[in-house]
Amino acid sequence: MTFKELSQYLERLEKTPSRNEITSILAELFKKSSPGEIDKIVYLVLGNLAPSYQGVVLNIAERMMLRIIAQAYDEDINKIKALYKEKGDLGTVAEELASGEGGSISVGEVYSALIEIANEAGAGSQEKKISRMAKLLGELTPLGARFVARIPVGKLRLGFSDMTILDGLSYMVKGDKSARVEIETAFNVFVDIGVIAKIVKAKGLSGLKGIKPMAGIPIRPSLAERLPSAEKILEKIGPKVAVEPKYDGLRTEVHIFSQDGKRKVSFFSRNLENTTRMFPDLVEATAEIKVKTAIFDAEAIGYDLKTGKFLPFQETVQRKRKHDIEEIAKKLPLKLFVFDILYKDGKSFIDTPFSERRKILETVVGKSGAKLEITRQEITDSAETIRDLIKTYLSEGLEGAMIKKIDAPYKAGARGYHWIKYKKNTGGGVADTIDCLVLGVNKGRGKRAGFGVGAFLVGVRQGEKFKSVSKIGTGLTDEQWRELDKRAKALEVNQKPKEYELHKNLEPDVWVKPSLVVEILADEITKRPIHSAGLALRFPRLIRFRDEKSPEQTTTLSELNKLYQMQKS
Ligand code: AMP
């Protein structure tokens, strides 16, 4: 396929707000593409060059992109800056100046050029990136230039994500959504969406039968539901349940495998980002696990060296950084609590009952070390015992308990009652905090003028749409207001993102692109038709910024409805 043709599809995708139409455009695009190019097309329509866990990025910031555009079209940099100020979008600037024929350049050629630019490293790489990217832009049609100029700066957002791609693939093979579950099941254990698309394209759905977890490729994590009481939990998943402490740390999927004859360890966050380099201390600790190939699910949490007490999340999360890693590792040591095993030496345990997985885990991990331990667990059928355990965990400074269904498979990528979280505030008020997306901000007035932001609008997710649920103007510390202002400024967009649905009267001063996730604690959930979610949060307080969560991982409207029902019962 030529890149010119792909650009026309991108334009159609950009124009339509309708998800059904997006799905059918994608299906048409996938039908037309060959097995050799469909993976690249999938990455590109998502605004990426590879699945996110591979961390392939162009590393071209906005300022560099301005220089690239100036060079590509032989224009003065000041003119480009002025045009950018006027248009507010680098893609439109490039499109206005481009005049390339670009008729024959293929998707594969554009993709390879972008990969080469991404791989450029070392001395002089900056200049090489600029001239290569400028050359590429110069060859593209105006429409092609619009989209390619947006990719490096993360602005190629067409208003959908992975799940719509999976729908598009289902429509490609079946003409409807009937294959979606099958495709998603494969994707849940093998998150390279490009490879999934390639297999479906080349071999049809039967090709997916061969998909199983592979060490080195993350599995989409399992997530927990909530219930209001120990009795309800036993009723739902009993008679016997496994009770474990809930650590308020960083989800860490641990992959051990061999590469080029050497033992390799990779860690993936809840977001499936590769975080291995951030935790050299934990990588070292995994040397104790005597296994050739395996995948574990675990939580890493910081502890105080002197007292041995666990640290609050705000401190643990400081370990999520790209610089001064050794230094912070000394100051904030982590401990890894391993609670599941999903794969070992060619065998997947995804469908193995939890009690069996636990036995396997105990034989594989063996005794605990100072930095790595199997999560302690108790099997019980008594509500009293569950309550006592929760009290013990809370007194140790932990977040609460995870209560697990003994015979459940590992539900990759799914929230369900196989795991039930029970936190401090469960049983009184709203049973859980709510992870919301920041949709936009309003300028501060009075005292808040100094903070920049005075109020912000948050939403919950329904499919790939975000519906407003609260406008928050109190409940933040001065420092949190300033932090919010800083973050919102970096994510400002001049148009309402396609995914946002809200009442006109609630439109904020400034839109924030879908990226910033905040954890909100509310006293109550009430019915409020002014919010497009139909529900609103009363007395909301910002608990923390949830950098490790992406917009797709925010609380869904159906979860919020369940929380609403729970507080009534
Ligand atoms: P939540 O993010 O509130 O849905 O809770 C699920 C999260 O709890 C998981 O993503 C893990 O990071 C974390 N977690 C802490 N302790 C455990 C445990 N024992 N079992 C499973 N998940 C745990």
Side-chain angles (χ1 to χ4, degrees), residues 244-247 251 270 299 339 402 404 415 421:
E244 297 177 3
K246 185 174 193 302
Y247 302 99
R251 181 75 168 264
R270 181 191 171 113
E299 185 89 352
F339 53 77
M402 274 293 208
K404 301 185 175 178
R415 193 178 289 282
K421 51 180 159 176

Side-chain angles (χ1 to χ4, degrees), residues 91-126:
T92 315
V93 175
E95 182 175 12
E96 278 210 357
L97 299 170
S99 57
E101 284 293 316
S104 59
I105 186 164
S106 69
V107 170
E109 283 165 326
V110 172
Y111 180 81
S112 305
L114 290 170
I115 288 285
E116 279 172 25
I117 296 167
N119 288 339
E120 208 64 81
S125 62
Q126 189 93 335

Side-chain angles (χ1 to χ4, degrees), residues 90 367 435 462 515:
L90 287 166
K367 64 176 185 335
D435 292 322
Q462 187 176 41
S515 171

Side-chain angles (χ1 to χ4, degrees), residues 2 17 30 35 38 59 69 85 94 97 111 123 129 157 175 209 238 254 256 267-268 312 369 426 447 463 490 548 560:
T2 62
F30 296 158
I38 193 169
N59 256 334
I69 295 175
K85 208 165 175 195
L97 299 170
Y111 180 81
K129 276 183 197 239
R157 284 189 319 93
K209 303 244 175 333
V254 179
I256 299 175
F267 292 157
F268 298 103
T426 304
K447 180 188 169 208
E548 81 289 13
L560 194 69

Side-chain angles (χ1 to χ4, degrees), residues 26 33 73 192 197 240 255-256 291 367 499 523:
L26 284 173
S33 46
Y73 307 116
D192 188 332
K240 282 193 174 164
H255 291 233
I256 299 175
V291 69
K367 64 176 185 335
E499 302 91 322
D523 277 3

Side-chain angles (χ1 to χ4, degrees), residues 39 42-43 46 48 50-55 162-163 165-166 183-197 199 208 211-222 253 255 268-274 295 412-413 553:
D39 49 345
V42 165
Y43 303 136
L46 289 168
N48 301 325
S52 64
Y53 72 90
Q54 289 180 5
D162 299 348
M163 294 303 140
I165 298 281
L166 302 182
I183 301 172
E184 191 177 339
T185 305
F187 175 65
N188 282 339
V189 297
F190 190 98
V191 297
D192 188 332
I193 199 159
V195 171
I196 296 281
I199 290 173
L208 295 175
I211 295 254
K212 57 176 187 177
M214 220 172 117
I217 297 180
I219 292 174
R220 295 184 70 219
S222 188
E253 215 176 273
H255 291 233
F268 298 103
S269 69
R270 181 191 171 113
N271 248 344
L272 309 182
E273 177 199 354
N274 190 324
I295 304 175
Q553 290 161 340

